[in-house]
Amino acid sequence: GLSAGYGAARVLHGIDLTVERGETMVVSGRNGVGKTTLLETICGLTTHHAGEIIVHGTRVEALPAYKRNRLGVGWVPQEREVFKSLTVDENIRIVGRPGAWTPAKIYELFPRLAERRRNYGSQLSGGEQQMLAIARSLATNPTLLLLDEPVEGLAPLIVQELVRVINQMRSEGNLALVLVEQKHEIALANSDRCVVIDHGEIVHRSASKDLLADAATLERLIGVAA
């Protein structure tokens, strides 16, 4: 029953969804329908109008963003927003909390960041900054990780690397991933379930593989042909 937006303006209307640990859910839809707003609402960055957000049995819709993060909600924003005046290593360690995702394990996941750990955020390419944004979020040891268009505008080789990372995180089995991504074929091929949003409401739910195989429904809902 989640409704939220910005100030008095409502963008989301009666959203109902659940994501479990070990599961990857894709949120799809045309531009401007509320996908990013949904992620920002879960994080605590929008105006809550109605409904509940529950993390591990705890209602969090009244909590500020930093408290939601401490309860396990991690977020990788579309703009990346790495700390450009800090090194890669400082970006990761400054937000670190105890858990399975240690700096050593994060560097195993991102060998390129291990090579550049002493470089400043401002010295990284766009793809490397995206890797660092994901790495920094993992350092908080989330149980729910929200990824907002992680491969947007990146070179094909970097896209392949990030898809590998997403699949490795999926294989860990202890993270719930919610992925907003305009590259629908990549997102659906590397996820378990999907929902499609239109005008702030969920208009479709299915297994990702089923939507990927249904070109007519993809075209109708999202405006793309498989």
Side-chain angles (χ1 to χ4, degrees):
L2 183 64
S3 296
Y6 303 95
R10 294 197 183 200
V11 178
L12 303 177
H13 309 279
I15 296 290
D16 288 304
L17 60 82
T18 302
V19 60
E20 304 289 345
R21 284 200 193 207
E23 182 178 45
T24 299
M25 174 184 287
V26 168
V27 179
S28 292
R30 295 179 173 88
N31 289 331
V33 297
K35 304 185 302 295
T36 291
T37 301
L38 175 60
L39 299 193
E40 292 182 348
T41 297
I42 296 170
C43 290
L45 304 175
T46 65
T47 303
H48 173 260
H49 289 286
E52 301 176 354
I53 304 171
I54 302 171
V55 179
H56 304 309
T58 299
R59 289 184 59 174
V60 302
E61 67 272 5
L63 297 181
Y66 76 92
K67 288 189 177 181
R68 299 187 198 195
N69 179 257
R70 289 176 181 174
L71 285 172
V73 179
W75 176 51
V76 181
Q78 188 175 354
E79 297 80 11
R80 300 162 189 157
E81 297 182 6
V82 301
F83 301 123
K84 294 185 178 181
S85 63
L86 300 181
T87 66
V88 166
D89 200 58
E90 289 168 339
N91 265 272
I92 291 170
R93 293 182 185 277
I94 197 171
V95 299
R97 284 204 290 272
W101 288 104
T102 62
K105 184 175 179 180
I106 289 170
Y107 285 133
E108 287 180 11
L109 186 63
F110 293 101
R112 188 184 295 239
L113 293 183
E115 295 170 0
R116 308 207 63 183
R117 66 176 65 191
R118 293 181 178 83
N119 288 91
Y120 291 100
S122 60
Q123 297 173 318
L124 304 181
S125 68
E128 290 165 345
Q129 287 189 11
Q130 185 64 279
M131 293 178 192
L132 180 55
I134 297 173
R136 184 181 58 183
S137 189
L138 284 176
T140 69
N141 274 283
T143 52
L144 170 64
L145 184 59
L146 311 173
L147 298 160
D148 196 353
E149 301 205 24
V151 303
E152 180 189 22
L154 300 180
L157 285 176
I158 299 298
V159 171
Q160 290 179 16
E161 177 70 4
L162 288 175
V163 168
R164 177 194 66 79
V165 165
I166 290 170
N167 281 322
Q168 189 165 335
M169 289 190 295
R170 289 176 70 199
S171 71
E172 294 286 332
N174 59 352
L175 263 180
L177 296 174
V178 178
L179 175 66
V180 167
E181 182 52 60
Q182 290 293 336
K183 294 185 182 295
H184 308 290
E185 68 288 350
I186 292 175
L188 293 172
N190 296 279
S191 61
D192 303 299
R193 288 193 295 131
C194 66
V195 297
V196 179
I197 293 180
D198 191 27
H199 292 91
E201 299 180 353
I202 294 178
V203 296
H204 176 86
R205 305 171 189 264
S206 71
S208 295
K209 64 180 181 180
D210 293 341
L211 183 57
L212 184 61
D214 189 344
T217 301
L218 265 175
E219 174 66 25
R220 175 174 58 85
L221 292 173
I222 307 174
V224 297

